[in-house]
Amino acid sequence: MLRRQLVTGLLVTACLLVLLCGVFPLAVWGVGQLAFNHQANGSLVKVHGKTVGSSLIGQSFTDNAGNALPQFFQPRPSAAGKGYDAGASAGSNLGPSNPNLIGNNLDDPQNNPYRTPSDPYCVPVGADGGYQKNPDGTYACNPNTVPERSIAYRQLNGLAAGSPVPVDAVTASGSGLDPDISVANALDQAGRVAQARHLPPAQVVDLIHRRIDHRAWGVLGEDTVNVVDLNIALDRLGDA
Amino acid sequence: MTTAGWVELAILIAALAVTTPLLGAYMAKVYDPTLGRPRGDRVFSAIERPIYRICRIDPESEQRWSTYALSLLAFSLVSVLILYAQLRLQGHLLLNPDRYKGIEPKLSFNTAVSFLTNTNWQAYGDGVMSQLSQMTGLAFHNFVSAAAGAAVAVAFIRGLIRRTAGTLGNFWVDLIRTCVRILLPLAFVAAIVLMSQGVIDNFHGARPVTTVAGQTQTIPGGPLASQEAIKEGGQNGGGFFGTNSAHPFENPNGVSNLVEIWLMLAIPFAFTYTFGKMARNQKQGWVVFATMFALWLGMLLVIAPLEARGSPLLTIGGADQRTTSLQAGGNMEGKETRFGPVGCGYFAASTTSTSDGAVNCQHDSLTPIGGGTALVNMMYGEISPGGTGSGLFGMLIFALLAVFIAGLMVGRTPEFLGKKIQGPEMKLVVLYLLLPAILILGFAGAAMLVHSALNSRLNTGPHGLSEIVYAYTEAFNNNGSAFGGLTANTAWYDTTLGIVMLAGRFLPMIAVLAIGGSLGRKKVVPATAGTFPTATPLFGGLLFGVVIIVVGLTYFPVVALGPAVEHLAGHFGL
């Protein structure tokens, strides 16, 4: 009885494998290669004939030391590898009240023993008893907390201390590969990018508005700006 | 919540309202030929006939409940061993352009069990699975685990509606028909729609490119669209990539996001119509539908607005979370810009109320009550609308409990669809309802005492408790979503979660088949003035109440200690 069932199970597995894992995926692959070749192969983008990435996969725009390049729009923080590692997609998975996300002593920053003049919510780097310090004697703060990211964002873009920062600019995405930023985030970066490229700010702002990916059918998803496409368009402005 | 968000929800509900009767009626004909010839019968018969011949299955023969269960177990055993072997040996097999090695034993065990049981919990991340393992290993179980759930549900319905019958149908026939006539056509159409939006489908290895800023990046490849379609359509949820449907290649934009949410919900909701049609009692089907729908929508309307409102703890750090015309705002940690907090909320509510478990945002980073709502959604037992088939039989078990409680109140033997519900059935119903409490709370409690299990937490405090409870809840209910901060690929979690997944899948199924077998043998008693009518809104309300009370009483303490404490301690407001 059991033996007959097992044999039937084996035969059914074999038949369904051929149909569901052979015929079906090959048929889908065939349709994709014929009808949606660009999408099925990764929505790759080319510049001067060379593939520079995929418009769906975000990229880092930093120098070798990891500093943001001011002439490029900056994507969101990324938890994928060292940042935008497309072979290691990942979110931070930090919980909503984890100090490594939100900072230390939010209720009572005066009593945060690690506070620095710029960051009252500083979370020190290193292990208990051996926290790293800066040359000026202050604690070195975990750069990936929202307070630290806000400070860095304001500094990079010449915003006033304490001014609110678009939330997408200081939080890591779910995939670590988010190619998009919000329109607000792009506009806040426009002045700095224009300055670094010696372009009139109005021209950069105008470019952003032309590159907004609006919600599909006016309602699905959110309005976004694709950083990879936007930076390529910026480079093209310079070429022209 | 924006106007666009509300309109998106309205489109989703409208789509479900249209597809539930259409798909449900078609499925009813697939399972019950006396209802008429299903569409495409000639084509599908031509595919099925050779399979029956090769496997020596007589499609006309029927099985008693015990044989039906034995076939289910035999098929599961054979197919899980094949998957395990394939994962261990993938380094020596074809279609492995990135040269991934064979997978170590404990991760292979956990992954094989996870896909067998329709859980699709991912203890693995990127850079582990070869394309062959994805396409012929994981995707195979995406189909057949969904089909096995559907088969058990259909056998249970037959038990409810047949009179003095000894058999419940034929497992092999139900399995094959579900794959060939329902899942395959749905997945084919969905895969093409998803590809048109940017989901990849190729056989490239990872390709290195020099980026715009002159760095190197490797763009992954793989036969993804075909797998993505059945991953959502069969409520499996195991991602091709570690970050699942948050990954832009799995879910590239707002359109694909809506399609994927609909795919998760379509078959489970349609099953209520199939049930009504097969029972020749469409009103009964709609009552079950309405109860599931109310649970799903209610929970969705908790998560999405909470995520859109954001976290006061991010505001202190300097983040502007307001929703304006220039940004979606909200709690964006772990979320994608293209979906925003609302798209994440809809997806999270749907993936945890079905047994899908795909994620388009990191559930670990949801607001405390947002994440807690996802957790409670699974604690309902995947019945709103649940997995393929498993959602329906889960809700019908609650329906049996509801008529039993109503019967106790008036002092009559409870009946459902004319069948007397008596001692043997109620014992199995209680077993069905106690199992999750014992296994989830038992193993989560045990993990609290094991040092290495506690070390796996990324977050501490009440959120750390939530991480562990979430893991066992998703495992028992075969959901597969995660509070991903938990490092799950350890000996403790790979093993215990594997055991919980197996128990959570097969013990309830066997109980359900046994109840079906027992009910099938009974006579139908004619309805009298004293019969409690079950195809009424009143019964829907009672059913809703029974679900809330049973689940609430079971899990309130642990939910209070995890999400509720975190919410109150973090000043998240009312």
Side-chain angles (χ1 to χ4, degrees):
Chain A
M1 178 77 169
L2 180 63
R3 189 157 157 240
R4 222 195 109 210
Q5 298 288 347
L6 289 171
V7 171
T8 310
L10 196 61
L11 291 169
V12 170
T13 301
C15 290
L16 290 180
L17 260 176
V18 172
L19 179 68
L20 305 174
C21 303
V23 177
F24 166 64
L26 289 178
V28 170
W29 172 78
V31 172
Q33 295 300 316
L34 290 174
F36 304 108
N37 193 284
H38 173 70
Q39 292 96 317
N41 289 308
S43 304
L44 301 178
V45 275
K46 288 188 173 179
V47 172
H48 303 308
K50 278 183 105 173
T51 303
V52 295
S54 161
S55 61
L56 293 178
I57 304 286
Q59 304 183 350
S60 293
F61 292 88
T62 54
D63 61 20
N64 290 334
N67 300 312
L69 293 168
Q71 70 273 32
F72 287 113
F73 282 91
Q74 292 298 313
R76 298 178 62 189
S78 161
K82 290 180 178 161
Y84 290 94
D85 180 345
S89 68
S92 75
N93 282 313
L94 295 171
S97 45
N98 191 317
N100 287 321
L101 173 68
I102 60 175
N104 260 341
N105 285 48
L106 298 192
D107 286 339
D108 186 15
Q110 294 303 328
N111 283 325
N112 177 10
Y114 313 108
R115 68 196 309 268
T116 66
S118 61
D119 182 4
Y121 311 112
C122 177
V123 177
V125 180
D128 204 2
Y131 293 119
Q132 291 173 29
K133 293 215 171 171
N134 294 316
D136 63 3
T138 57
Y139 282 102
C141 305
N142 176 352
N144 293 320
T145 64
V146 169
E148 280 290 319
R149 283 172 178 162
S150 298
I151 292 165
Y153 185 86
R154 291 181 197 120
Q155 212 164 31
L156 180 67
N157 296 301
L159 304 178
S163 59
V165 172
V167 64
D168 64 294
V170 292
T171 49
S173 63
S175 62
L177 304 175
D178 191 345
D180 301 315
I181 54 177
S182 68
V183 181
N185 184 353
L187 291 174
D188 276 350
Q189 299 188 46
R192 177 254 306 167
V193 171
Q195 198 179 20
R197 292 191 177 240
H198 310 294
L199 290 168
Q203 194 182 1
V204 176
V205 169
D206 181 55
L207 181 72
I208 292 171
H209 281 292
R210 278 190 286 124
R211 310 289 312 191
I212 295 174
D213 293 318
H214 291 283
R215 292 184 174 100
W217 312 343
V219 288
L220 302 185
E222 300 289 347
D223 286 357
T224 57
V225 179
N226 184 306
V227 179
V228 178
D229 290 346
L230 180 64
N231 281 329
I232 291 172
L234 261 181
D235 281 347
R236 290 212 174 108
L237 275 187
D239 291 350
Chain B
M1 293 265 293
T2 54
T3 317
W6 289 111
V7 176
E8 179 172 353
L9 181 60
I11 294 173
L12 177 62
I13 292 172
L16 290 170
V18 171
T19 56
T20 295
L22 284 180
L23 196 57
Y26 169 75
M27 283 159 50
K29 286 182 191 166
V30 168
Y31 296 122
D32 184 352
T34 64
L35 287 166
R37 206 171 149 167
R39 274 171 184 277
D41 190 41
R42 204 174 309 157
V43 178
F44 293 128
S45 292
I47 300 173
E48 288 164 356
R49 245 178 276 122
I51 299 180
Y52 293 144
R53 205 174 319 127
I54 294 168
C55 305
R56 281 168 285 168
I57 296 166
D58 172 10
E60 304 300 324
S61 75
E62 293 227 340
Q63 299 170 316
R64 290 148 48 84
W65 81 264
S66 48
T67 318
Y68 201 98
L70 188 66
S71 295
L72 165 74
L73 294 176
F75 177 68
S76 301
L77 181 66
V78 169
S79 58
V80 78
L81 288 177
I82 293 175
L83 176 57
Y84 179 82
Q86 194 182 351
L87 295 179
R88 300 277 290 126
L89 298 172
Q90 69 170 15
H92 306 287
L93 301 174
L94 301 169
L95 268 183
N96 185 8
D98 296 311
R99 309 252 166 95
Y100 296 140
K101 290 199 214 68
I103 299 169
E104 36 115 2
K106 67 178 176 2
L107 184 57
S108 294
F109 163 74
N110 184 282
T111 306
V113 165
S114 155
F115 278 75
L116 166 75
T117 56
N118 196 260
T119 311
N120 306 49
W121 159 267
Q122 292 171 257
Y124 62 91
D126 287 358
V128 178
M129 290 288 157
S130 76
Q131 292 181 3
L132 187 80
S133 295
Q134 297 270 16
M135 188 174 91
T136 67
L138 306 186
F140 176 73
H141 283 273
N142 283 354
F143 276 102
V144 296
S145 66
V152 171
V154 170
F156 184 67
I157 297 174
R158 292 191 187 115
L160 274 172
I161 61 177
R162 286 184 177 178
R163 295 149 192 237
T164 57
T167 58
L168 296 179
N170 184 317
F171 171 77
W172 305 111
V173 175
D174 290 335
L175 178 85
I176 291 167
R177 284 174 82 93
T178 308
C179 285
V180 171
R181 294 177 186 243
I182 299 168
L183 298 175
L184 192 58
L186 183 72
F188 187 70
V189 175
I192 290 168
V193 172
L194 289 173
M195 273 194 299
S196 75
Q197 299 303 312
V199 176
I200 60 168
D201 200 277
N202 58 56
F203 289 98
H204 306 302
R207 283 178 298 188
V209 296
T210 303
T211 64
V212 179
Q215 301 176 331
T216 50
Q217 192 181 38
T218 50
I219 307 290
L224 170 55
S226 51
Q227 190 170 338
E228 186 71 24
I230 188 60
K231 166 191 129 188
E232 310 294 6
Q235 292 75 49
N236 296 281
F240 198 93
F241 297 108
T243 51
N244 213 300
S245 282
H247 196 292
F249 277 168
E250 292 208 18
N251 192 358
N253 59 36
V255 176
S256 65
N257 198 47
L258 184 70
V259 170
E260 291 186 13
I261 296 174
W262 173 81
L263 271 174
M264 290 189 238
L265 297 165
I267 292 183
F269 272 129
F271 244 111
T272 62
Y273 194 90
T274 306
F275 164 59
K277 192 110 183 142
M278 288 175 74
R280 272 72 171 176
N281 187 344
Q282 208 62 65
K283 257 179 95 183
Q284 187 69 67
W286 283 119
V287 167
V288 174
F289 174 90
T291 311
M292 289 177 166
F293 185 82
L295 278 169
W296 167 73
L297 187 65
M299 300 302 264
L300 181 145
L301 289 177
V302 175
I303 301 185
L306 273 178
E307 296 307 313
R309 191 178 66 168
S311 158
L313 306 183
L314 300 182
T315 306
I316 296 173
D320 178 5
Q321 295 173 88
R322 286 169 305 169
T323 303
T324 67
S325 60
L326 299 178
Q327 67 163 15
N331 170 27
M332 284 299 284
E333 182 65 28
K335 295 184 180 60
E336 302 287 298
T337 315
R338 61 194 181 281
F339 309 136
V342 173
C344 155
Y346 292 172
F347 201 106
S350 302
T351 198
T352 51
S353 65
T354 65
S355 77
D356 195 88
V359 295
N360 80 348
C361 54
Q362 300 301 342
H363 288 192
D364 218 345
S365 301
L366 294 172
T367 59
I369 298 298
T373 307
L375 178 63
V376 173
N377 248 346
M378 298 187 297
M379 286 171 170
Y380 287 142
E382 303 301 17
I383 51 168
S384 59
T388 314
S390 58
L392 181 73
F393 68 64
M395 189 55 111
L396 291 178
I397 293 291
F398 270 106
L400 297 187
L401 182 67
V403 290
F404 178 73
I405 290 172
L408 285 182
M409 287 194 265
V410 295
R412 266 183 64 99
T413 306
E415 292 159 22
F416 188 63
L417 298 179
K419 293 288 176 77
K420 279 198 158 68
I421 311 300
Q422 291 161 308
E425 294 86 33
M426 281 318 297
K427 279 180 197 155
L428 289 164
V429 166
V430 170
L431 183 71
Y432 183 102
L433 295 172
L434 282 180
L435 266 174
I438 293 166
L439 285 166
I440 293 169
L441 298 175
F443 272 102
M448 296 296 147
L449 303 173
V450 176
H451 204 62
S452 65
L454 286 174
N455 281 344
S456 280
R457 292 169 304 166
L458 175 71
N459 298 287
T460 54
H463 199 83
L465 174 68
S466 301
E467 275 185 356
I468 291 174
V469 173
Y470 197 102
Y472 288 103
T473 307
E474 67 72 30
F476 185 89
N477 291 297
N478 302 139
N479 183 277
S481 69
F483 269 19
L486 191 75
T487 306
N489 186 17
T490 64
W492 168 267
Y493 285 109
D494 275 338
T495 312
T496 58
L497 289 171
I499 293 167
V500 173
M501 284 189 266
L502 283 171
R505 173 75 169 176
F506 292 106
L507 297 180
M509 277 187 167
I510 294 168
V512 164
L513 287 172
I515 298 171
S518 162
L519 290 177
R521 285 191 297 272
K522 295 189 184 209
K523 292 195 295 267
V524 170
V525 286
T528 63
T531 307
F532 178 50
T534 53
T536 59
L538 177 68
F539 180 72
L542 178 70
L543 182 54
F544 186 89
V546 165
V547 171
I548 300 278
I549 291 167
V550 168
V551 173
L553 289 177
T554 309
Y555 298 106
F556 178 77
V558 75
V559 173
L561 287 173
V565 165
E566 188 181 16
H567 177 87
L568 295 172
H571 307 296
F572 282 90
L574 288 174

